[in-house]
Amino acid sequence: MGLFIFFAMVAALCLAYYGYLRKSSWQSPDGYFPTKWRKILQEKVAFYNGLTAEEQEHFEWKVEEFILNHKITGVRVEIDKVDKLLVAASAVIPIFKFADWRYDNLFEVIIYPDHFDKNFATEGEGRNILGMVGTGYMEGKMILSKRALHDGFANEKDKRNTAIHEFVHLVDKMDGVIDGVPSMLLERQYTIPWIDLMKTKIKEIHERSSDINAYGGTNEAEFFAVASEHFFENPKSMQRKHPQLYALLEEIFEHDMAEREQVLRRMEIGRNAPCPCGSGQKYKRCCA
C-alpha cells in the first residue's frame, strides 16, 4: 500500500510538472483561420452556424487554440483535418462563454476507429465503449471512437454527442473530481438546487418516466454529461420538457441554447413554409 501511494505521488508530481511546461509553452493562434476549415465548421457544426459573426470569429480562435495545444492521435485509423476540427469543436462548445478557459487537465486525444473495450482493443467481444476520460496511467488523455465523433455531429437532434459528453466530464473534473457538480462553473447559490434536481431526474430515469438517455441514470457524473449532450443537441426539447433542468444548465454554461436554435431555424426555414412549432400557420405569420 505504501509503495502504491509513493508511485501515485510520483505520477501526480510528473503530471504537475508536465502541466507547468505546457503552460509555459502555450501557443496562441495567429489570427488567420483557413477558409477550408471555416467551410468544414459551416457544413458540420450546427452550434457554429447559430453564432453571430463576432462569436464565430471567437469560436474559430478557440478551435485553432485547442488544435495548437493538444495532440490528436489516431490508433489504427488515419486522422484528417475534419477529425481534428470536430474534436476541437466538441471541446469548445461547452466552454464557449468562458473566454480564458483552458483544458489544463488534457494533453492528448486518442482516436480509435470504432467501439473499444477498457483495454482499448477494437476487435473481439466486449467492445462497448465509444469515449472515455483516462485515469491512472492514462491521466491527461481522452479516448474517442472516430465513428462516434462523426455521428455526434451528423444527427443534430438525437440528444447525443459522445465527444461533447467526454469534454463535459473534463469540465466537471477541473475541480479535482468527476461527480456531476462542476464547481468551476456552478455558482454557489445553484449548487444545492442542482444536486437536488439531479437526484430527482435520475429517479425519473430509473422509474422509466423520462425521455433523458437512460445512461444518465448511472450516477450524477454521467447524468451531468448526458444532460449536457441534450442541452447542446436539442435545447428546445429540453426547455419544453425539462424547463428547470434547462434553466440550471443555462446558468452553468451561461448560454441560451434555445435562442441559438431559433436563429438556426430562421436561417433554414422559408417564410412561406409551415412553421416548425406545429401551429399550422406559415412561418412568416407565426414564430418569425
Side-chain angles (χ1 to χ4, degrees), residues 129-147:
I129 301 174
L130 294 173
M132 63 181 291
V133 172
T135 57
Y137 75 96
M138 292 293 289
E139 187 72 35
K141 300 179 187 294
M142 176 187 291
I143 304 94
L144 290 173
S145 152
K146 178 169 178 170
R147 183 175 68 82

Side-chain angles (χ1 to χ4, degrees), residues 171-187:
V171 170
D172 188 2
K173 193 178 182 180
M174 286 296 285
D175 59 4
V177 60
I178 302 179
D179 59 359
V181 183
S183 301
M184 298 288 286
L185 304 184
L186 191 62
E187 293 185 19

Side-chain angles (χ1 to χ4, degrees), residues 256-271:
D256 185 352
M257 282 301 303
E259 174 58 28
R260 295 294 182 204
E261 191 171 72
Q262 283 297 105
V263 171
L264 285 171
R265 289 191 177 196
R266 288 195 292 270
M267 292 168 59
E268 295 171 355
I269 301 167
R271 289 179 56 76

Side-chain angles (χ1 to χ4, degrees), residues 2-279:
L3 191 61
F4 174 80
I5 294 174
F6 171 76
F7 282 119
M9 291 177 64
V10 170
L13 287 171
C14 289
L15 282 171
Y17 180 65
Y18 185 50
Y20 168 77
L21 292 178
R22 288 183 75 245
K23 288 180 181 179
S24 63
S25 61
W26 192 265
Q27 299 181 63
S28 294
D30 59 9
Y32 170 74
F33 196 79
T35 302
K36 290 182 179 180
W37 293 16
R38 183 173 297 114
K39 186 176 181 181
I40 292 170
L41 294 181
Q42 291 169 342
E43 291 176 350
K44 296 185 177 293
V45 183
F47 181 95
Y48 173 84
N49 290 318
L51 303 175
T52 65
E54 183 178 356
E55 288 173 328
Q56 285 182 346
E57 185 176 346
H58 175 62
F59 189 90
E60 293 168 359
W61 195 93
K62 294 297 291 182
V63 162
E64 187 174 3
E65 181 189 45
F66 183 90
I67 292 173
L68 283 172
N69 294 285
H70 298 84
K71 289 177 62 178
I72 302 176
T73 308
V75 175
R76 295 192 287 274
V77 65
E78 286 191 15
I79 300 301
D80 59 23
K81 188 56 66 179
V82 175
D83 300 322
K84 291 184 177 183
L85 287 169
L86 291 184
V87 169
S90 305
V92 172
I93 286 170
I95 51 84
F96 177 70
K97 299 299 284 186
F98 307 98
D100 298 325
W101 184 279
R102 291 180 179 179
Y103 286 100
D104 292 328
N105 55 352
L106 178 68
F107 311 130
E108 183 178 16
V109 178
I110 301 170
I111 299 181
Y112 282 78
D114 208 327
H115 291 75
F116 51 90
D117 64 21
K118 62 182 180 180
N119 297 313
F120 313 118
T122 55
E123 296 179 0
E125 297 182 3
R127 297 176 302 140
N128 57 3
I129 301 174
L130 294 173
M132 63 181 291
V133 172
T135 57
Y137 75 96
M138 292 293 289
E139 187 72 35
K141 300 179 187 294
M142 176 187 291
I143 304 94
L144 290 173
S145 152
K146 178 169 178 170
R147 183 175 68 82
L149 172 66
H150 285 260
D151 286 351
F153 287 95
N155 189 337
E156 301 165 5
K157 301 299 179 185
D158 65 352
K159 312 171 193 172
R160 298 186 182 188
N161 187 304
T162 298
I164 288 178
H165 180 110
E166 298 306 326
F167 276 104
V168 168
H169 277 322
L170 279 185
V171 170
D172 188 2
K173 193 178 182 180
M174 286 296 285
D175 59 4
V177 60
I178 302 179
D179 59 359
V181 183
S183 301
M184 298 288 286
L185 304 184
L186 191 62
E187 293 185 19
R188 187 182 299 272
Q189 68 267 31
Y190 296 113
T191 300
I192 298 302
W194 172 246
I195 293 172
D196 290 343
L197 182 62
M198 281 199 296
K199 291 178 179 177
T200 298
K201 291 299 182 180
I202 289 173
K203 183 180 178 182
E204 290 175 2
I205 292 173
H206 291 166
E207 293 172 347
R208 300 185 179 181
S209 59
S210 175
D211 67 325
I212 295 173
N213 184 349
Y215 191 60
T218 306
N219 53 47
E220 285 82 359
E222 295 301 343
F223 177 82
F224 175 45
V226 163
S228 298
E229 289 180 80
H230 192 153
F231 177 77
F232 287 112
E233 285 272 297
N234 200 330
K236 289 296 288 184
S237 168
M238 175 176 279
Q239 188 182 47
R240 184 174 68 255
K241 297 179 181 179
H242 309 277
Q244 188 180 2
L245 179 59
Y246 176 87
L248 280 174
L249 286 171
E250 190 179 50
E251 291 291 341
I252 290 171
F253 295 113
E254 297 186 8
H255 207 92
D256 185 352
M257 282 301 303
E259 174 58 28
R260 295 294 182 204
E261 191 171 72
Q262 283 297 105
V263 171
L264 285 171
R265 289 191 177 196
R266 288 195 292 270
M267 292 168 59
E268 295 171 355
I269 301 167
R271 289 179 56 76
N272 290 311
C275 190
C277 74
S279 67

